[in-house]
Amino acid sequence: MRVRALLSAVLILSSGACIDRINFDIGSSTIFPVVIDGYISDQPGPYRIEISKGFDIESKISFKTPIAVKQLVLSDDQGTSEQLTAISQGVYQTSANGIRGTIGRAYQLRIELLDGRQYESKPDTLLPSGKVDRVYFNFRSEQTDEGATRHGFDVFFDSSTGAGEDFRFLWKFIGTYKVETNPELFDTLCVEARCPKPLPCSGYVLDETTGEINIKSSCECCTCWIDFFNDTPMVSDNQLLEAGQMKEVKAAFVPVNQWTFMHQVHAEVRQMSLSQQAFDFWKAVKAQKAALGSLFQPLTGKVPGNFVQTGGPEGPIEGLFFATSISSNAVFISKKDVPNQSFIPPQNLIFRNTCVALFPHSSTKRPDYWED
């Protein structure tokens, strides 16, 4: 009897990648299923691989559980290989000066679990990415189902396929905006009131004797850069193609709210080359996500992975390891691009915590590309 299972597949396409939940038909097994996700590119490393347990859709445990492995080795078809190092539970990484993806070479991942199971991915060839020629945007307003008016920007891009003969791509949108919060105003319940307790990273300290709050250093957790992503994978198989060009492809919608346009938005589009097996995976993921909520949703979601078992007790494995080259382009959308400043809601709430605690996919590290 086959059991429909829901496996947590975290497909890391950049730092702070979004999380997709993907349905896999894994069959019955008393050994937990494994999900492996990651890629190698022609961009400088290090490259990260995430390994986790899958879970049955009928299980009460429905979250991603990272797992440790005995060995994880990345190799190419020219004899170069590197053993990855664990940087946290279930997260493995190459060295900064280690193996690097090269167009035309094929790459393979080998894994050995602590219980003796061994798997390897099918070799995946790194193909040319073409080029994202430009990224641009258009403001629009629309009525929501609740009757409210929503304002925002549609982000588009034009790209070209380059000289390659394979025109299969995955397009990734990464938006980034900057926010500030007030962790120095953090407080805690004491008796029947709220008492100030500034967070240490805010740079403020409470004088227990006088009750005064004094600044001692600069804040390390007041300012964050937040990433957000397209919800559904965008893939192309000679679609929208005209003389090697793809024009006016919509990448994402950037809403206008008090957070996104506290300053500005950096809108980036990445074009990632795909082999046939990687394209089949991402196309199936896109179809599955499109089917959610549909009357015609399939009873099982079969997403083709590219791993095979080579040893140890039999156990299911899903996910994808692939090789890709990447072209990217980006544009800033500023507050001045909003045609009416009244469309930006006033920032009238005080958030008394660190920005990292308040926003997912956030970092206090200023991106190299950011401009104030």
Side-chain angles (χ1 to χ4, degrees), residues 231-246:
D231 294 330
T232 302
M234 298 181 291
V235 293
S236 173
D237 187 18
N238 294 339
Q239 301 170 26
L240 311 175
L241 188 62
E242 183 178 347
Q245 302 288 318
M246 286 160 280

Side-chain angles (χ1 to χ4, degrees), residues 42 45 49 56 76 127 189 195 216 261 270 278 322-323 352:
D42 62 342
I49 308 296
D56 193 300
D76 66 16
L127 302 171
L189 183 65
C195 293
K216 293 294 184 181
F261 284 91
R270 296 179 182 177
F322 67 109
R352 308 167 186 265

Side-chain angles (χ1 to χ4, degrees), residues 5 29 36 39 99 134 165 200 216 280 285 370:
S29 176
I36 304 180
Y39 67 90
I99 190 171
R134 74 179 184 122
E165 298 180 356
K216 293 294 184 181
D280 290 342
V285 171
W370 191 260

Side-chain angles (χ1 to χ4, degrees), residues 168-182:
R168 294 178 294 267
F169 302 111
L170 171 70
W171 291 310
K172 181 72 176 178
F173 170 81
I174 304 174
T176 306
Y177 57 94
K178 175 184 173 182
V179 300
E180 286 99 13
T181 59
N182 299 92

Side-chain angles (χ1 to χ4, degrees), residues 45 128 135 164 184 236 264 297 318:
V135 179
E184 74 276 9
S236 173
Q264 60 184 345
Q297 181 177 351
E318 295 292 349

Side-chain angles (χ1 to χ4, degrees), residues 315-351:
I317 186 170
E318 295 292 349
L320 177 74
F321 173 78
F322 67 109
T324 181
S325 59
I326 302 174
S327 171
S328 63
N329 207 333
V331 65
F332 278 101
I333 310 174
S334 73
K335 295 176 71 171
K336 294 180 180 179
D337 293 313
V338 181
N340 188 330
Q341 296 301 295
S342 67
F343 292 162
I344 304 175
Q347 184 57 53
N348 52 11
L349 296 177
I350 298 176
F351 287 87

Side-chain angles (χ1 to χ4, degrees), residues 55-69:
F55 60 87
D56 193 300
I57 196 170
E58 296 178 357
S59 171
K60 295 181 180 179
I61 301 175
S62 59
F63 51 83
K64 175 179 168 236
T65 304
I67 60 172
V69 302

Side-chain angles (χ1 to χ4, degrees), residues 183-184 198-206 213-222:
E184 74 276 9
L199 298 176
C201 62
S202 70
Y204 286 77
V205 294
L206 174 67
I213 299 177
N214 302 307
I215 186 169
K216 293 294 184 181
S217 60
S218 60
C219 182
E220 298 176 352
C221 56
C222 296

